[in-house]
Amino acid sequence: MNPLRIGNFSGFYGDRFDALREMLTGGELDVLTGDYLAELTMLILARDRLKDPGAGYARTFLRQLEGALGLVQERGVRIVTNAGGLNPAGLAAHLGELVDRLGIPLRVAHVEGDDLTAGHPGALAAHAYLGGFGIAACLRAGADIVVTGRVTDAALATGPAAAHFGWGPGEFDKLAGAVVAGHVLECGTQATGGNYAFFQEGDVRRPGFPLAEIHADGSSVITKHPGTGGFVDIGTVTAQLLYETGGARYAGPDVTARLDSVRLRQDGPDRVRIEGVKGEAPPPTLKVGLNRLGGFRNEVVFVLTGLGIDAKADLVKEQLAAEMAKSPPAEVRWELVRTDRPDAGTEETASALLRLVVRDPDQKVVGRALSGAAIELALASYPGFHVLAPPGKGDPYGIFEDAYVPQGEVPHTAVLPDGRPVRVPPPPETRPLAEAPPAGLPAPLEHGATRRAPLGLVAGARSGDKGGNANVGVWARTDEAWRWLAHELTVDRFRELIPESRELPVTRHPLPGLRALNFVVTGILGAGVASRHRFDPQAKALGEWLRSRHLDIPEALL
């Protein structure tokens, strides 16, 4: 049987608008997927729905598709997307109106049942992460366009693969292979050189979007359309495999994929083959993402220039502490960022930034703390007083939390093109999630001369967020570098290199088949991206910071 060619045209809500048309015209495809949902996106859509109960979906998808519906029909490509967000039925209805208005006979179906908000008082949105068999049911019923709400990102690939190859719920190795391929595709151009540690090895000014050739046994080849920008190699695929993952067992609603079984090999220019993936029965519960309002947040950034930076910072802190004591916010956080340098040639490089963030359930408290008190210091504080921007009244911020419910309690439903709802049963076999057995490590590299140098000279990294936690995947590019990295980059060494992790739980997961270590730092992002807990609220650059840190590296590797 020929492989199923699944492409991606969106990795987030706001991705390249023209990518849908580019993928349709750039080469052969069977299915085109669009991933619009992230933890923060669900909160944004929930706030949209507060203003308009008919909203809650990714509006840009409608505009993207309107200009490409003729191509979709002409090319015979099926579209599968989670752009339905909080309102997949609403988006499906608008799509039905669109195809009727344009006179293009495409059949629309949708998947629902993920919305559990009614059972979680106080949440703006509570949605279970569904698997791919609802999508498969829609495609088997003849749908040309399938819209979902909150499904796992990989379900956009596992659903079409299960429908095409006739896989059943118990074919775990095949499903796991599709999960891994789907995980590589889900973030769009991150698989083709975007956001890649070694980006200078190819032309990534406008990377093409990726596609996977999935085979009947679950193996796949990751590639891209001919002539598009970017590049696909073992490194770009490894980086994306490590993105927002944890241990060797990567759990999903349909299958738990064993990341420690993945094998990659270069299969030609811009072609990486993924094989050997093993799967296990999925957990008995589904993850539910809960988004709620945490309160109000306000911030101001003071610019401190020239001499006496620390003394200037101490002065403004004392002045504001006295003012804020009259109506103290629930949380006050100061950060001094020393961007200044001695004898600087520009005023900007002579300046440091002092950032103050306050949070409180009451908007008036955070407004008074900064809008009044901070600005009243303008003529009464340190020399050279100014701020990057005047503070406002305070903005609401969100909190993301995980919950878990039994799979059978979630009404996973495929609404077929003729409008018939079909209940998708939970998997017949489940297995509680447990840590994988310890991975065997290679023999340490022989001792020799070392040189103090950045880790990034011998290792790549990619980092991301999962709720309040961050992961940092680090991989070696050669077997010799892996022998050194596996023994050098311990949890203690990681904490030494990333000081803000020292008081937090840090877990290391070796993945020898990928020559990689995956670190999970629990709690480093506070209550999740929407709470804007730290300078880099999604930990996107945490891996690059780690790569810039210096340690003693064997000269043989340099």
Side-chain angles (χ1 to χ4, degrees):
M1 183 179 288
N2 291 332
L4 180 70
R5 293 173 62 86
I6 302 180
N8 172 279
F9 70 87
S10 175
F12 68 100
Y13 191 10
D15 209 344
R16 189 187 304 168
F17 187 86
D18 293 332
L20 176 59
R21 176 174 285 274
E22 291 172 8
M23 289 300 287
L24 287 169
T25 58
E28 294 297 317
L29 284 175
D30 301 302
V31 178
L32 194 48
T33 64
D35 182 8
Y36 287 79
L37 302 184
E39 293 167 2
L40 181 60
T41 313
M42 296 297 280
L43 180 64
I44 292 169
L45 294 177
R47 293 181 64 185
D48 287 348
R49 190 171 60 175
L50 284 177
K51 301 171 187 174
D52 176 5
Y57 56 83
R59 296 178 186 272
T60 52
F61 172 67
L62 269 176
R63 300 204 309 272
Q64 287 174 290
L65 193 60
E66 182 171 6
L69 271 179
L71 276 172
V72 172
Q73 183 195 28
E74 175 188 322
R75 299 297 176 100
V77 175
R78 288 170 147 185
I79 306 293
V80 179
T81 178
N82 59 19
L86 278 61
N87 188 6
L91 178 55
H94 284 295
L95 287 170
E97 295 167 2
L98 178 63
V99 298
D100 288 345
R101 175 165 56 85
L102 297 180
I104 300 174
L106 294 175
R107 293 158 294 186
V108 179
H110 72 276
V111 177
E112 60 188 25
D114 58 298
D115 192 345
L116 305 182
T117 308
H120 292 82
L124 280 180
H127 290 256
Y129 288 70
L130 303 180
F133 280 99
I135 295 169
C138 293
L139 292 171
R140 286 170 177 155
D144 300 297
I145 303 171
V146 181
V147 172
T148 78
R150 177 74 276 187
V151 296
T152 63
D153 301 334
L156 300 177
T158 59
H164 182 75
F165 295 115
W167 296 341
E171 299 188 67
F172 296 132
D173 288 349
K174 297 173 182 178
L175 289 167
V179 162
V180 170
H183 181 61
V184 175
L185 294 183
E186 69 186 51
C187 288
T189 53
Q190 280 197 167
T192 57
N195 299 353
Y196 179 52
F198 305 104
F199 66 96
Q200 293 165 309
E201 296 181 356
D203 183 354
V204 295
R205 288 173 294 179
R206 188 179 174 86
F209 277 68
L211 64 93
E213 300 168 355
I214 300 180
H215 293 263
D217 64 355
S219 65
S220 63
V221 172
I222 305 299
T223 183
K224 62 186 185 71
H225 282 328
T228 55
F231 58 103
V232 179
D233 65 16
I234 288 176
T236 66
V237 174
T238 298
Q240 181 55 29
L241 277 176
L242 296 172
Y243 182 63
E244 294 181 347
T245 59
R249 283 192 166 108
Y250 184 57
D254 300 320
V255 64
T256 293
R258 291 293 297 259
L259 297 182
D260 53 356
S261 66
V262 176
R263 296 294 180 268
L264 306 178
R265 62 182 173 91
Q266 200 74 35
D267 199 44
D270 291 322
R271 292 178 63 84
V272 171
R273 185 170 294 277
I274 302 175
E275 52 197 356
V277 185
K278 298 298 182 184
E280 299 170 344
T285 56
L286 289 180
K287 176 181 170 181
V288 179
L290 303 177
N291 284 280
R292 58 184 176 87
L293 289 179
F296 294 86
R297 178 186 183 279
N298 208 357
E299 81 168 77
V300 63
V301 179
F302 300 91
V303 182
L304 315 174
T305 304
L307 305 177
I309 296 293
D310 289 328
K312 289 171 180 173
D314 289 342
L315 173 59
V316 74
K317 286 181 184 179
E318 287 183 32
Q319 290 176 309
L320 274 174
E323 289 299 315
M324 287 191 291
K326 300 171 184 176
S327 180
E331 180 184 341
V332 177
R333 182 168 178 167
W334 292 92
E335 288 180 288
L336 178 59
V337 184
R338 296 300 301 261
T339 51
D340 58 304
R341 65 189 68 168
D343 194 21
T346 66
E347 183 177 333
E348 188 171 6
T349 55
S351 300
L353 302 176
L354 179 63
R355 180 171 175 249
L356 169 61
V357 176
V358 296
R359 302 175 193 270
D360 196 88
D362 188 341
Q363 186 177 26
K364 293 180 181 178
V365 170
V366 299
R368 282 194 299 267
L370 298 191
S371 296
I375 297 307
E376 287 174 3
L377 294 178
L379 303 179
S381 189
Y382 60 87
F385 181 102
H386 66 285
V387 297
L388 290 184
K393 297 178 179 179
D395 298 317
Y397 69 89
I399 290 177
F400 179 86
E401 298 171 327
D402 290 344
Y404 293 86
V405 298
Q407 291 229 26
E409 293 184 7
V410 177
H412 188 177
T413 303
V415 181
L416 306 183
D418 62 5
R420 284 185 301 124
V422 175
R423 186 70 176 267
V424 179
E429 180 187 352
T430 61
R431 173 179 177 175
L433 191 64
E435 285 290 330
L441 297 179
L445 198 65
E446 294 80 2
H447 291 294
T450 62
R451 179 161 30 113
R452 199 78 177 164
L455 173 63
L457 294 184
V458 296
R462 177 163 284 163
S463 54
D465 63 312
K466 279 291 184 186
N469 306 334
N471 93 288
V472 185
V474 186
W475 77 94
R477 308 187 82 188
T478 65
D479 290 338
E480 292 75 17
W482 168 237
R483 290 174 60 191
W484 171 78
L485 183 73
H487 297 278
E488 174 65 23
L489 194 56
T490 61
V491 168
D492 287 342
R493 180 73 75 220
F494 183 93
R495 286 193 169 117
E496 176 187 320
L497 298 174
I498 305 295
E500 66 183 291
S501 73
R502 289 175 184 171
E503 305 303 319
L504 298 172
V506 178
T507 308
R508 186 180 101 144
H509 302 282
L511 296 168
L514 298 175
R515 294 192 299 228
L517 303 169
N518 206 2
F519 293 87
V520 177
V521 187
T522 302
I524 193 171
L525 303 180
V529 55
S531 69
R532 291 183 285 173
H533 178 73
R534 67 190 293 273
F535 166 69
D536 174 17
Q538 289 181 280
K540 296 291 189 183
L542 189 57
E544 284 301 292
W545 178 25
L546 178 67
R547 293 183 67 239
S548 74
R549 299 306 311 270
H550 288 224
L551 51 147
D552 295 324
I553 299 176
E555 286 192 351
L557 301 180
L558 298 171

